[in-house]
Amino acid sequence: MTQTILITGASTGIGRAAAQRFMAEGWNVLATMRNPESSDLTGENLSLLRLDVTDADSIHEAVAAGLQHFGRIDALLNNAGYGACGPLEAFTEAQIRRQFETNVFGLLAVTRAVLPQMRAQKSGVVVNISSVGGRMTFPFFSLYHGTKFAVEGITEALAFELATFGAKVKIVEPGAIKTDFAGRSLDFTNDPALAEYQPLIGKVLEVFGQTDRPSSDPSIVADVIWQAVTDGTDRLRYTAGEDARVLMANRSAMDDASFTAGVKARFGI
Ligand SMILES: NC(=O)c1ccc[n+]([C@@H]2O[C@H](COP(=O)([O-])OP(=O)(O)OC[C@H]3O[C@@H](n4cnc5c(N)ncnc54)[C@H](OP(=O)(O)O)[C@@H]3O)[C@@H](O)[C@H]2O)c1
């Protein structure tokens, strides 16, 4: 029986690459996005559906339409997300809530909409896209790290729950990936009147703006997502990208004080 995956945020970047990978493997793909009318994804085993992870009605309509179209959902890729960057004090309350509504509450809502189907099937794999930033932090990303640390904890705990009926939930942690993430998906917010932060903001922009920083193609993440969905193991975490592998190994080898000292040295704090 042909298997089906539902992907959130499939318009660009990692979600789009995953849609292409699963189609190439012969899966049915429910490629969901906020504006499906502007997508150029094509394929026989593809259904483009509108889904905004912050809009409950759109989630339930997309899941129902997907089930009607392909009959089942074997895998869910919670990929939709973006990064807020800047001093906490510079953000409005609405911006803070939008970051958590998208990256955390949206992921929870889509998962809750798909789980009844997986429970009925007694199988399924959910893959949650976290980040190296779900396990370590850098200055001015307090909101983004907050969401990705939340995704890590949610996933780790949920794995016990889903095992009770034979489903799995896994975490993919990409490093730097060449997508729209650092462009249109970055909510960079600053207030020059917050003078104390400005020297560090300058340094952070300089480090993250370096064009020769190593970064991977989104197809690398799609390969890892494919592995996570299909390897049949209970493995919880998968890094994606060579930089992610090195960063995670270094973080695991260090205690908190050593890691913090390293970040401070890197950013001249
Ligand atoms: N690129 C990296 O270096 C990197 C590293 C680690 C983790 N990640 C994670 O990878 C995931 C995908 O990001 P990307 O790198 O592929 O960037 P991207 O190309 O900018 O893709 C982000 C996707 O999220 C979607 N999205 C944002 N808000 C949404 C909402 N409310 N409802 C539905 N979709 C929404 C966007 O849809 P629209 O087209 O409608 O805006 C877009 O499809 C994110 O969770 C990100 O945190 C990225």
Side-chain angles (χ1 to χ4, degrees), residues 9 11-12 14 34 52-53 79 130 144 148 175 177 179 184-185:
S11 59
T12 55
I14 293 168
R34 288 188 285 197
D52 178 333
V53 299
N79 163 75
S130 175
Y144 182 65
K148 293 300 187 183
I177 311 297
T179 67
R184 70 183 183 93
S185 291

Side-chain angles (χ1 to χ4, degrees), residues 7-10 15 32 51-53 77-82 102-104 106-107 129 148:
I7 300 172
T8 65
T32 77
L51 191 162
D52 178 333
V53 299
L77 175 60
N78 281 312
N79 163 75
Y82 73 95
T102 305
N103 293 12
V104 181
L107 173 146
I129 300 295
K148 293 300 187 183

Side-chain angles (χ1 to χ4, degrees), residues 34-99:
R34 288 188 285 197
N35 299 299
E37 58 285 353
S38 54
S39 173
D40 61 357
L41 271 176
T42 52
E44 274 179 23
N45 48 353
L46 171 73
S47 174
L48 292 173
L49 295 168
R50 194 188 89 77
L51 191 162
D52 178 333
V53 299
T54 65
D55 173 352
D57 288 346
S58 80
I59 294 171
H60 291 290
E61 282 163 22
V63 170
L67 283 172
Q68 192 169 18
H69 198 79
F70 289 128
R72 50 191 284 132
I73 296 175
D74 301 281
L76 164 64
L77 175 60
N78 281 312
N79 163 75
Y82 73 95
C85 171
L88 180 61
E89 289 188 71
F91 287 98
T92 63
E93 181 73 15
Q95 283 177 297
I96 294 169
R97 289 192 180 276
R98 190 170 78 94
Q99 173 76 116

Side-chain angles (χ1 to χ4, degrees), residues 175-187:
I177 311 297
K178 294 183 196 78
T179 67
D180 292 346
F181 184 75
R184 70 183 183 93
S185 291
L186 190 69
D187 178 12

